[in-house]
Amino acid sequence: MILTAHQPVYLPWLGLFHKIASADTFVSFDEVQYLPRDWNNRNKIKTASGAIWLTVPVLTKGHREKPIREIEINNREPWRRKHWNAISLNYRKAPFFAQYEEFLRSVYQREWQWLWELNEHMLRWFLEVLGINVRFLRASELGLVGAKSDVVLDMCRKLGAKTYIFGALGRDYARVEDFQRAGIEVVFQEYRHPEYSQLHGAFISHLSLLDLLFNCGPKSLEILMKDQERIPA
């Protein structure tokens, strides 16, 4: 079994979906510490003026000590209206905007309390739209122990993984020899970002998957997986 995991992030980029599509099981690491000014609550879309951030405001009291599953959204700020207006204004002329508009509009009409819940709701929809079928689990339900490399190894053992896919930054903390002793193969993702047709001028990479979906629709999975290194089964 090929396993991978990632913290809950807002409007993820293409590389996360390549990593998930390369696995059999995906674990949402909802117990890791929340990171301000990271990807937990923000990502980028493309506009006529270039890439802009869409950021979900969160309640900041004690947030630097909390895991992501305990981070609450600050709904005193009109972020849902701002995000939907930015998305619809900049993508309404995209070829496939109308195909996904109804779901996304419903997301921004709903008031969300927890950041992880918003992120997971959208991630599951993205996976369904792309046609990526994996077992989806949450770290908070697995009783994992340890930190960094140790907690990943514990997860692999509990779930019976034969291969674990780290992101590229996993090289900074993964103790590969521990996995080798446990008979678990380690793979580090190296994602080559594809180019595709976009609105608003010259191509910009590392945006939210929304950009690819709105511009390429049903071909999105084929595009994001094209020319990538195959993960060994």
Side-chain angles (χ1 to χ4, degrees):
M1 184 262 283
I2 303 175
L3 174 66
T4 195
H6 202 83
Q7 59 193 337
V9 291
Y10 182 59
L11 301 178
W13 77 301
L14 278 59
L16 176 59
F17 296 95
H18 165 258
K19 190 167 73 163
I20 297 175
S22 301
D24 304 308
T25 299
F26 171 72
V27 175
S28 177
F29 243 110
D30 57 346
E31 289 196 312
V32 298
Q33 184 177 351
Y34 171 75
L35 297 174
R37 302 184 64 80
D38 198 77
W39 306 100
N40 300 156
N41 67 324
R42 65 177 188 164
N43 222 305
K44 294 179 181 180
I45 63 168
K46 189 179 180 185
T47 76
S49 302
I52 64 166
W53 289 100
L54 296 183
T55 302
V56 180
V58 300
L59 299 179
T60 57
K61 184 177 180 181
H63 71 302
R64 293 179 183 273
E65 291 76 44
K66 292 181 179 179
I68 293 174
R69 60 185 166 81
E70 296 179 8
I71 297 297
E72 292 186 73
I73 294 173
N74 182 1
N75 285 305
R76 292 190 294 270
E77 297 187 25
W79 68 272
R80 290 180 292 136
R81 175 175 55 81
K82 289 180 179 179
H83 287 205
W84 175 243
N85 286 346
I87 291 168
S88 57
L89 174 65
N90 290 289
Y91 288 108
R92 62 189 176 192
K93 294 183 179 179
F96 297 95
F97 176 76
Q99 185 168 327
Y100 308 113
E101 179 180 7
E102 182 178 354
F103 171 80
L104 290 165
R105 185 189 297 274
S106 73
V107 169
Y108 293 106
Q109 287 175 339
R110 173 178 167 182
E111 184 169 306
W112 301 87
Q113 179 181 3
W114 303 102
L115 180 62
W116 75 264
E117 188 177 19
L118 167 67
N119 290 348
E120 181 176 308
H121 181 74
M122 298 191 79
L123 176 60
R124 287 181 181 271
W125 178 78
F126 283 134
L127 294 174
E128 181 180 352
V129 166
L130 290 171
I132 298 173
N133 299 307
V134 294
R135 182 167 58 147
F136 193 113
L137 303 171
R138 300 187 192 113
S140 58
E141 299 171 345
L142 298 177
L144 303 178
V145 296
K148 294 189 177 180
S149 186
D150 290 336
V151 73
V152 174
L153 181 57
D154 185 51
M155 177 176 60
C156 288
R157 284 172 166 156
K158 283 188 165 118
L159 295 177
K162 299 300 182 184
T163 301
Y164 184 79
I165 307 172
F166 283 95
L169 296 179
R171 287 190 173 89
D172 296 339
Y173 66 89
R175 293 200 301 273
V176 176
E177 62 276 10
D178 292 348
F179 289 82
Q180 291 173 337
R181 281 194 293 269
I184 299 166
E185 181 179 12
V186 169
V187 174
F188 294 100
Q189 181 193 36
E190 294 292 347
Y191 189 65
R192 296 186 289 272
H193 201 293
E195 290 196 15
Y196 53 88
S197 177
Q198 286 179 334
L199 298 178
H200 311 307
F203 182 78
I204 298 177
S205 69
H206 293 74
L207 302 172
S208 165
L209 179 74
L210 286 177
D211 189 81
L212 177 62
L213 278 181
F214 290 147
N215 285 297
C216 300
K219 293 185 177 179
S220 294
L221 181 61
E222 177 186 347
I223 291 169
L224 75 87
M225 297 295 289
K226 185 179 179 182
D227 299 327
Q228 304 299 326
E229 184 176 349
R230 183 178 176 275
I231 304 298

